[in-house]
Amino acid sequence: MTDLLNPQVPELFLNLSQRFGLLLAGGFAIMTVTSLDKLGPRRDRPLWATVLLVVLFGLFGVLGTYTGNAVFKSFANLRAMVVVTAGLFGGPGVGIGVGFIAGAHRYLIDIGGFSALPCGLATLLEGTAAGFIARRNPGNSLDWQMAMGICLAGETLHMGLVLLFSQPFVEAVALVQVIALPMIVFNSLGAALFVKALDLQMRFKQARDRDLARQILSIANQTVGHLRGGLNPASAQATAAIIMNEAQVAAVALTSNNTILAHVGEAEDHHVSGGQVLTQATQRVVDTGEPLFVHDRQSIACSSEGCPLTEAIIVPLRKGSRIMGCLKLYGTRRSPLDETLFELAKGLADLFSTQLELEDIGIKNQLLAHAEIRRLQAQINPHFLFNSLNTIASFCRTAPAQARELLLDLSRYMRRNLDSSRGLIPLSEEIEQTRAYLAIEQARFGTRVKTEIDLGPGAAECLVPPLLIQPLVENAVRHGILAKPEGGLVRLTAWREDGHLLVEVHDDGAGMDGVAVQAIVRSASSESLTDGIGARNSNQRLMQLYGPDYGLLVDSAPDRGTSISLRIPQQ
C-alpha cells in the first residue's frame, strides 16, 4: 500500500505530454486533408455527414485511450479532449455518438479494471454535455475557453465518479491522486488547442470562400456586357483579358470546340487566336463535359515543343445541354495553379454558361406552346441581375454564409428562368422559383419586403405552366409594395377546390387604376403601359392553354393594394 500512496505524478506528466503531442499532431493532419468545414457545425447536416463525424472522432477517442498510461489497474488517458471537441464541433448527435463509442470501448476493453464503469460513464456525459452546449451557442461553439471549461468540469466529475463507484475505495483514492492533475491539465489544454485549430481552419476557409466569391462577382460584373452578344473572338478576347487581370495566372484562353477564340498571356506565340486548338486535354473536356485539372506538360499535350505551360485548368462552357467551348487557365513553373483557382474557373464557367443561355434566348426556335415563356424570359431585367450581384458582393464582406445562400438563390432563379424546355411542372417548383426571387429582393430591400406563402393540402403537387406565378409576385413587389416608402406585404395562397388549383397573389401596396387593370385582363400591349408586363403575359398564356374562362381576376384600386387570382384545371 506504501507504493500506492507514493504516485509517480511527474513521470505520468512526462508520458502524457509526449502522447498528447502525437495525438494533436494526428488531429491536425486529419484537418488539413479533410473538408471538415462542409460537415459542421450546422443543423442541416445530412445524416451521412453526422455518421462520418461520429466514426472519425470516435476512432480518435479510442486512440485517446490507447495513448494513455496503465496506472493501478486503470488507465490515465487523453480521451476527454477528443470527445469534448467532437461535441462542440458536431452538436448533440455527434457528441453523444462519440461519447458512447469511446466510453463503451473504455468499459469493454481488457484493461478496463476496477474504474471501467465510471470512466466510460464520464466519457459519455462529457460528449453529451459538449453537444448540447454547442446547440445552445450556434455559430459560437468553437470557443477554446468553452472547451477548456467543459473539460475541467468533466474531468473533475470523472474523478468524482471514480471515487464514488470504484472499489476498493483506498485504491480508488490512490488512483485519483496519481491521475487527476495530469488528466485534467492535458485534456483541458488539448480540447482548447483542438477547438482553436478547428476554429482557425473554418475561418480560413470562410475567408477564402469570401475572396473567391468576390473574384467571381467582380469578373462577372466586368464580363457580362461583353458576353451579352454571345461567345465570339471579340467577346472572348475582352473576357480573357479581364480574367487574366483578376486571377493573376500565367495565361487565359477561351475556345470553341475546335478553335482558339482568344489566348492572353504565356505561349501567345503558338496558341494563336483564330488557330486550331492545340492541346489534347481541351479535346477531352469537350468530349466528356467534365472539368479537368492537369498538373504536367505531358497531360496538357501541347503539340508545340518548348511550350512553357506546365499546368492547366479546363472547364466546359455550355449552352443548355450543348458544350460550346472551354475556359482555360494556364500555369507555369513560376506561376502555378491551385485548387482555389479550379473552383474559381468552375464558378466562372457556370456564370458564363448562364450568360450564353441568356444570349440564346432571343434566337431559340421553340414550339408555339413555349413562345410566351420565351417572351417572358426575354424581359428579364438586367438591373435585377446587376443589383443582385452587388447585394451579394456586399454580403460577402459582412455575412459570407448569407452571401453563399443568395448565390444559390440567384442561380436557381436564373436557371429556372432560362429553361424553356419544360412543360407543365409541379407547383412546388414554381414556388421554389418564387422563393429564390423573394430571398434576393428581401436581401436588397430588407423589411420593406414582407412575404407569406400558404399552400393548402395537395396543392404543391398540382401541375402548372412554368413562369406563371413568379411574375405575378414580381409585379406585386416592384409595382405594388416598393412603390410605398414603407414597403408592405405580399401574400401568396394556393389551395385545391372542385378539381381546380386556385392561386391568389395579394399585396397591400400602391394599387392600380382601372386602365392598368383592364390592360392586364385584356392582355393589351401598349408601350405606354410599362407595369404589369408579367401579369399580362400570364393572363394571355392561361387563356391560350385553358380557354377564355381561365383568365386572371384582378381586384385593385389606387392606395388599396392588389389581388390577382387564377384557377387551373387539374386532371
Side-chain angles (χ1 to χ4, degrees):
M1 186 60 64
T2 301
D3 292 337
L4 291 177
L5 298 176
N6 185 25
Q8 301 297 318
V9 175
E11 181 181 352
L12 184 57
F13 257 100
L14 179 61
N15 290 336
L16 282 184
S17 66
Q18 293 172 342
R19 294 163 184 177
F20 166 82
L22 290 174
L23 191 62
L24 276 182
F28 293 163
I30 290 286
M31 285 188 289
T32 59
V33 299
T34 307
S35 297
L36 289 179
D37 61 311
K38 298 179 180 178
L39 302 180
R42 43 186 287 200
R43 290 196 175 188
D44 61 342
R45 181 176 53 230
L47 178 61
W48 68 264
T50 299
V51 172
L52 178 61
L53 286 175
V54 169
V55 171
L56 180 64
F57 279 104
L59 291 176
F60 258 84
V62 172
L63 185 61
T65 298
Y66 282 124
T67 53
N69 273 52
V71 179
F72 302 159
K73 302 178 184 178
S74 186
F75 224 54
N77 61 83
L78 301 171
R79 187 171 56 248
M81 59 179 271
V82 178
V83 174
V84 169
T85 301
L88 290 177
F89 182 76
V94 175
I96 294 172
V98 174
F100 177 79
I101 290 175
H105 172 265
R106 173 66 183 87
Y107 179 73
L108 296 173
I109 58 177
D110 292 338
I111 58 170
F114 70 102
S115 65
L117 176 60
C119 289
L121 180 60
T123 300
L124 177 60
L125 292 175
E126 286 170 325
T128 302
F132 280 102
I133 290 174
R135 172 168 286 182
R136 292 180 62 87
N137 295 273
N140 193 37
S141 61
L142 295 181
D143 185 311
W144 68 269
Q145 294 173 315
M146 186 187 300
M148 179 175 284
I150 294 172
C151 252
L152 280 170
E155 287 302 278
T156 301
L157 174 65
H158 182 177
M159 298 303 117
L161 292 175
V162 171
L163 293 175
L164 182 63
F165 290 109
S166 300
Q167 296 295 330
F169 181 72
V170 174
E171 293 188 7
V173 171
L175 174 66
V176 170
Q177 287 177 337
V178 174
I179 68 173
L181 186 60
M183 284 182 59
I184 291 173
V185 169
F186 283 112
N187 276 296
S188 300
L189 182 61
L193 289 174
F194 219 150
V195 165
K196 186 62 177 178
L198 282 169
D199 183 50
L200 289 175
Q201 185 195 41
M202 300 282 286
R203 292 180 184 274
F204 170 76
K205 291 191 174 182
Q206 288 173 356
R208 189 183 66 182
D209 288 344
R210 287 195 298 269
D211 290 340
L212 184 62
R214 182 203 61 79
Q215 273 191 302
I216 292 176
L217 290 169
S218 175
I219 294 172
N221 274 325
Q222 296 178 65
T223 58
V224 67
H226 298 290
L227 291 174
R228 187 177 297 143
L231 187 61
N232 53 57
S235 63
Q237 184 71 25
T239 300
I242 292 169
I243 298 173
M244 179 82 175
N245 180 60
E246 288 281 344
Q248 297 294 308
V249 293
V252 178
L254 283 101
T255 73
S256 65
N257 288 343
N258 50 29
T259 303
I260 301 173
L261 298 176
H263 185 102
V264 178
E266 297 278 355
E268 283 182 316
D269 57 332
H270 60 280
H271 290 261
V272 181
S273 299
Q276 293 294 309
V277 171
L278 301 180
T279 60
Q280 296 179 16
T282 303
Q283 193 57 51
R284 291 212 306 273
V285 172
V286 171
D287 292 339
T288 64
E290 296 295 327
L292 190 62
F293 189 172
V294 295
H295 301 275
D296 55 78
R297 184 179 289 108
Q298 290 72 26
S299 297
I300 296 176
C302 177
S303 58
S304 176
E305 294 185 9
C307 180
L309 305 178
T310 58
E311 293 181 308
I313 291 170
I314 308 172
V315 292
L317 299 176
R318 302 176 185 273
K319 183 181 287 188
S321 60
R322 294 177 296 147
I323 296 176
M324 305 301 296
C326 294
L327 167 64
K328 303 192 287 186
L329 308 184
Y330 285 112
T332 62
R333 295 188 186 280
R334 292 179 299 172
S335 181
L337 305 175
D338 56 29
E339 289 295 328
T340 300
L341 288 170
F342 192 25
E343 295 301 318
L344 172 68
K346 290 190 286 187
L348 288 176
D350 286 341
L351 285 173
F352 293 167
S353 296
T354 299
Q355 184 58 39
L356 292 176
E357 292 177 12
L358 278 168
E359 177 266 337
D360 203 32
I361 289 173
I363 60 175
K364 280 186 177 179
N365 226 343
Q366 297 292 340
L367 298 173
L368 181 60
H370 296 143
E372 289 303 320
I373 300 178
R374 293 202 308 275
R375 256 185 68 191
L376 191 58
Q377 291 166 343
Q379 294 158 0
I380 294 173
N381 189 344
H383 295 294
F384 171 75
L385 175 58
F386 296 147
N387 290 335
S388 299
L389 291 173
N390 287 331
T391 299
I392 295 170
S394 68
F395 275 101
C396 286
R397 296 187 296 272
T398 59
Q402 188 174 358
R404 287 194 293 272
E405 292 299 320
L406 288 174
L407 277 172
L408 293 175
D409 287 327
L410 181 59
S411 174
R412 282 191 287 265
Y413 175 83
M414 295 303 297
R415 288 192 179 280
R416 290 287 170 83
N417 267 317
L418 297 173
D419 187 1
S420 64
S421 62
R422 297 177 295 165
L424 297 180
I425 62 171
L427 176 65
S428 57
E429 289 191 25
E430 186 76 0
I431 296 298
E432 182 182 0
Q433 165 82 343
T434 303
R435 290 186 193 276
Y437 165 79
L438 289 173
I440 297 168
E441 294 292 62
Q442 287 175 323
R444 289 178 59 198
F445 299 106
T447 56
R448 289 184 64 196
V449 178
K450 303 179 184 66
T451 63
E452 290 180 3
I453 297 179
D454 182 21
L455 302 184
E461 294 78 28
C462 292
L463 298 180
V464 300
L467 289 176
L468 181 71
I469 297 170
Q470 184 270 325
L472 302 180
V473 174
E474 183 173 346
N475 278 345
V477 172
R478 291 176 56 196
H479 307 300
I481 62 174
L482 292 182
K484 299 170 63 177
E486 71 274 18
L489 171 69
V490 176
R491 185 172 63 249
L492 169 61
T493 310
W495 69 98
R496 298 178 66 175
E497 183 178 306
D498 297 331
H500 288 77
L501 171 69
L502 280 73
V503 179
E504 182 180 36
V505 178
H506 172 80
D507 69 79
D508 56 3
M512 296 181 290
D513 58 24
V515 175
V517 171
Q518 289 301 311
I520 291 175
V521 297
R522 294 180 181 178
S523 299
S525 59
S526 172
E527 293 183 0
S528 64
L529 294 172
T530 58
D531 294 355
I533 294 174
R536 293 199 298 273
N537 184 286
S538 296
N539 184 59
Q540 187 172 354
R541 288 169 56 210
L542 278 171
M543 291 191 294
Q544 286 177 342
L545 287 169
Y546 305 116
D549 293 336
Y550 287 89
L552 297 178
L553 298 177
V554 182
D555 180 17
S556 183
D559 299 322
R560 196 169 60 83
T562 301
S563 292
I564 299 180
S565 57
L566 60 91
R567 60 194 184 108
I568 299 172
Q570 297 292 301
Q571 296 181 356

